[in-house]
């Protein structure tokens, strides 16, 4: 009975160590560098291993097939992290009158949250990864989790 209890405790502790966040990963394909691509996936942060792993899903939330991507960034490879928030007027909702639409467009804001991680490959080549978070709540928690897991600011 005791080994089972220890196994449950250890698995619960391991679950607490890894955090996941849904993001869009923005990248440029080598064959079309002028056309940025967006891939939906999950960031997994493991503070025990001091690493960040991005894994794309087979399909995007919109039902489209997308390329499978997976990469890791370790604390030793990570060099810098930058957070950026962009605000833009949000479109009108239920098609009210012209005046209502204009007022909503002037007052409502749609925020976009981006986190850029700079890192070096094993050969020393500098790389970057740009992640787009949908919600401000997720990005605040993710920034703290990335700082804690990778030890960068």
């Amino acid at each position: 009975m005791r080994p089972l209890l220890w196994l449950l405790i250890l698995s619960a502790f391991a679950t607490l160590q890894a955090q996941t966040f849904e993001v869009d990963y923005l990248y440029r394909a080598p064959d079309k560098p002028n056309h940025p691509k967006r891939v939906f996936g999950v960031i997994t942060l493991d503070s025990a291993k001091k690493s960040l792993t991005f894994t794309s899903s087979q399909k995007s939330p919109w039902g489209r097939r997308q390329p499978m991507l997976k990469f890791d960034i370790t604390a030793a490879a990570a060099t810098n992290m930058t957070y950026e928030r962009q605000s833009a007027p949000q479109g009108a909702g239920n098609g009210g009158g012209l005046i209502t639409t204009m007022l909503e467009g002037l007052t409502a804001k749609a925020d976009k949250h981006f986190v850029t991680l700079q890192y070096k490959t094993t050969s020393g080549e500098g790389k970057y990864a740009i992640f787009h978070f949908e919600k401000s709540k997720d990005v605040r928690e993710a920034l703290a989790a990335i700082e804690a897991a990778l030890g960068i600011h």
Side-chain angles (χ1 to χ4, degrees):
M1 186 70 175
R2 281 195 173 166
L4 180 62
L5 179 64
W6 279 110
L7 182 63
L8 290 173
I9 291 171
L10 289 175
S11 65
F13 182 74
T15 306
L16 291 175
Q17 298 247 341
Q19 293 179 297
T20 60
F21 300 95
E22 290 183 347
V23 296
D24 287 324
Y25 168 61
L26 307 174
Y27 73 100
R28 296 184 186 276
D31 57 340
K32 296 182 181 178
N34 294 331
H35 301 288
K37 303 256 184 200
R38 175 175 284 199
V39 175
F40 179 77
V42 175
I43 287 178
T44 305
L45 295 165
D46 191 343
S47 58
K49 294 180 183 176
K50 295 190 180 270
S51 68
L52 175 146
T53 303
F54 173 79
T55 308
S56 65
S57 58
Q58 190 82 25
K59 289 188 177 182
S60 70
W62 308 278
R64 287 183 249 148
R65 291 186 58 78
Q66 59 184 14
M68 289 300 294
L69 297 173
K70 183 174 182 175
F71 61 86
D72 296 315
I73 300 174
T74 62
T79 57
N80 193 16
M81 178 177 66
T82 307
Y83 166 70
E84 178 184 357
R85 187 184 91 201
Q86 295 177 345
S87 294
Q90 191 172 359
N94 297 329
L98 180 62
I99 302 292
T100 306
T101 303
M102 289 173 52
L103 289 175
E104 283 180 356
L106 292 174
T107 58
K109 296 282 186 189
D111 290 340
K112 293 184 178 183
H113 305 275
F114 296 96
V115 173
T116 303
L117 283 173
Q118 297 171 343
Y119 62 99
K120 294 197 182 243
T121 61
T122 53
S123 63
E125 179 185 6
K127 296 267 186 180
Y128 65 92
I130 301 173
F131 300 106
H132 173 230
F133 290 81
E134 288 294 324
K135 299 177 186 171
S136 61
K137 174 183 75 86
D138 290 344
V139 78
R140 278 187 235 123
E141 186 178 347
L143 285 171
I146 291 169
E147 287 177 357
L150 299 181
I152 58 175
H153 303 284

